[in-house]
């Protein structure tokens, strides 16, 4: 039986009258890349604070492997954490910061750390006060991925990275998985989650509403299309994967799931004067699919 890297039992947190997390039961097997998703205010940050021992639960309990999350020293020997908003010691260089983090955290593979510095194109001679948001994020990611901590907790880890660096991030996640490490990833980027995660948990209004394989996320993916025509508007009601949203004189707006070919063939037969295609944000997708029904 696979051990659990993270386990919670009826984990609950109240802030006054606000119920931020409501009896969360979660089990993340060791060695898995696990996505933790939900709209803003869903309770993701609260969960992470409880797992890290930065806040105490109102009720329930959490474990990091066999350590009670409330025993902060024991739990933190088993994990490395990358926050959404990285703050560094402003007077220290990147190299000095990495050395300090290595001295205070789990064991570090220094050869791999040097490789990560090259791959993330980080100038470690620069003082942290001169780093951009993205470079501060790189320091934290390099420090975490270079550890041999069995659990990596990553909260919006690519928010300051450009697309090339996001690819390096995905490579580093794959290496961590190959090493048998567990990655707990909190992200708003559906494409990123699809690319690296094995399973995902979806949180809404403090409650766990779904735990599923990444393939289930693809049913959430949809594309919004707005088309304008100089002539008659085509009839897309029977086109596979198309759901009409609005139709007006010379304009058609619809959502599209699955392969786009059927919708494109239907549009090609009409006189299209303008076409706009938009991918909804993960936030919008959650509100559409999980909205008020999960309250």
């Amino acid at each position: 039986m696979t051990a659990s890297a993270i386990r919670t039992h009826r984990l609950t947190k109240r802030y006054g009258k606000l119920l931020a997390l409501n009896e969360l039961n979660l089990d993340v097997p060791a060695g898995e890349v696990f996505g933790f998703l939900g709209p803003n205010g869903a309770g993701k940050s609260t969960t992470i604070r409880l797992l890290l021992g930065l806040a105490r639960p109102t009720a329930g309990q959490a474990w990091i492997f066999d350590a009670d999350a409330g025993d902060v020293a024991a739990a933190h020997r088993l994990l490395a954490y990358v926050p959404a908003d990285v703050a560094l010691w402003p007077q220290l260089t990147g190299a000095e910061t990495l050395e300090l983090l290595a001295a205070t955290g789990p064991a570090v593979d220094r050869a791999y750390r040097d490789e990560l510095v090259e791959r993330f194109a980080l100038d470690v001679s620069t003082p942290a006060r001169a780093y951009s948001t993205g470079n501060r994020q790189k320091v934290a990611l390099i420090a975490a991925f270079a550890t041999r901590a069995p659990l990596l907790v990553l909260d919006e880890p690519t928010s300051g990275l450009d697309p090339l660096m996001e690819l390096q991030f995905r490579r580093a996640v794959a290496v961590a998985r190959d090493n048998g490490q567990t990655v707990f990833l909190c992200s708003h980027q559906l494409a990123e989650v699809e690319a690296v995660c094995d399973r995902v948990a979806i949180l809404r209004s403090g409650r766990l509403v779904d735990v599923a394989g990444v393939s289930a996320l693809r049913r959430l993916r949809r594309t919004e299309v707005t088309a304008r025509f100089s002539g008659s508007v085509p009839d897309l009601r029977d086109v596979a994967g198309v759901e009409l949203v609005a139709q007006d004189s010379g304009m058609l707006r619809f959502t599209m799931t699955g392969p786009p070919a059927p919708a494109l063939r239907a549009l090609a037969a009409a006189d299209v004067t303008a076409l706009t295609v938009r991918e909804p944000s993960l936030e919008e997708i959650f509100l559409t699919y999980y909205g008020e029904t999960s309250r």
Side-chain angles (χ1 to χ4, degrees):
M1 183 176 178
T2 304
S4 297
I6 294 173
R7 184 164 57 91
T8 68
H9 176 66
R10 302 184 71 176
L11 193 63
T12 301
K13 181 63 178 177
R14 284 186 176 274
Y15 294 100
K17 294 182 178 180
L18 174 65
L19 182 59
L21 194 65
N22 190 1
E23 297 192 347
L24 175 67
N25 292 313
L26 192 64
D27 194 328
V28 180
E32 192 167 84
V33 180
F34 192 89
F36 195 53
L37 314 177
N40 290 331
K44 303 188 301 299
S45 295
T46 297
T47 302
I48 289 176
R49 288 179 60 80
L50 294 172
L51 293 176
L52 296 175
L54 300 176
R56 294 198 172 275
T58 305
Q61 195 171 1
W63 294 266
I64 304 298
F65 294 95
D66 292 328
D68 186 330
D71 184 347
V72 176
H76 279 246
R77 282 194 290 268
L78 301 169
L79 65 86
Y81 169 54
V82 176
D85 185 14
V86 176
L88 301 176
W89 298 273
Q91 73 278 16
L92 298 184
T93 65
E96 290 168 336
T97 301
L98 289 172
E99 280 301 315
L100 178 57
L101 293 173
T104 57
V108 169
D109 182 337
R110 282 179 161 75
Y112 183 49
R113 187 183 66 187
D114 293 343
E115 179 185 332
L116 288 169
V117 167
E118 292 295 322
R119 281 169 40 190
F120 279 97
L122 178 68
D123 181 356
V124 294
S125 66
T126 301
R129 62 175 175 270
Y131 277 146
S132 64
T133 300
N135 281 327
R136 291 197 303 272
Q137 201 79 18
K138 289 179 186 180
V139 171
L141 286 170
I142 291 166
F145 282 126
T147 73
R148 287 297 174 247
L151 172 63
L152 306 180
V153 179
L154 312 179
D155 188 5
E156 301 292 346
T158 62
S159 57
L161 302 184
D162 63 42
L164 287 177
M165 293 301 103
E166 287 179 14
L167 290 177
Q168 295 300 335
F169 167 79
R170 295 179 188 182
R171 285 183 60 190
V173 170
V175 170
R177 181 201 277 121
D178 291 344
N179 287 336
Q181 294 169 285
T182 307
V183 180
F184 187 74
L185 172 63
C186 182
S187 176
H188 272 90
Q189 299 185 39
L190 187 56
E192 178 177 273
V193 170
E194 284 185 323
V196 302
C197 290
D198 301 308
R199 288 192 306 148
V200 297
I202 296 174
L203 207 62
R204 172 67 176 147
S205 300
R207 287 184 177 274
L208 184 67
V209 295
D210 205 0
V211 177
V214 167
S215 59
L217 279 182
R218 295 187 177 95
R219 67 183 168 85
L220 302 182
R221 182 180 286 283
R222 58 190 172 85
T223 303
E224 290 185 357
V225 180
T226 302
R228 298 189 181 277
F229 308 87
S230 61
S232 59
V233 175
D235 185 357
L236 303 185
R237 285 176 295 181
D238 297 326
V239 176
V242 168
E243 181 178 345
L244 294 179
V245 175
Q247 182 173 339
D248 202 350
S249 177
M251 186 275 291
L252 189 63
R253 189 164 74 250
F254 60 91
T255 62
M256 180 173 60
T257 56
L264 293 177
R265 281 195 294 268
L267 290 176
D271 190 3
V272 180
T273 59
L275 187 69
T276 304
V277 179
R278 188 179 78 91
E279 288 274 341
S281 67
L282 197 55
E283 180 88 1
E284 292 173 296
I285 290 171
F286 284 138
L287 291 174
T288 298
Y289 281 86
Y290 295 102
E292 298 303 312
T293 62
S294 64
R295 285 189 179 274

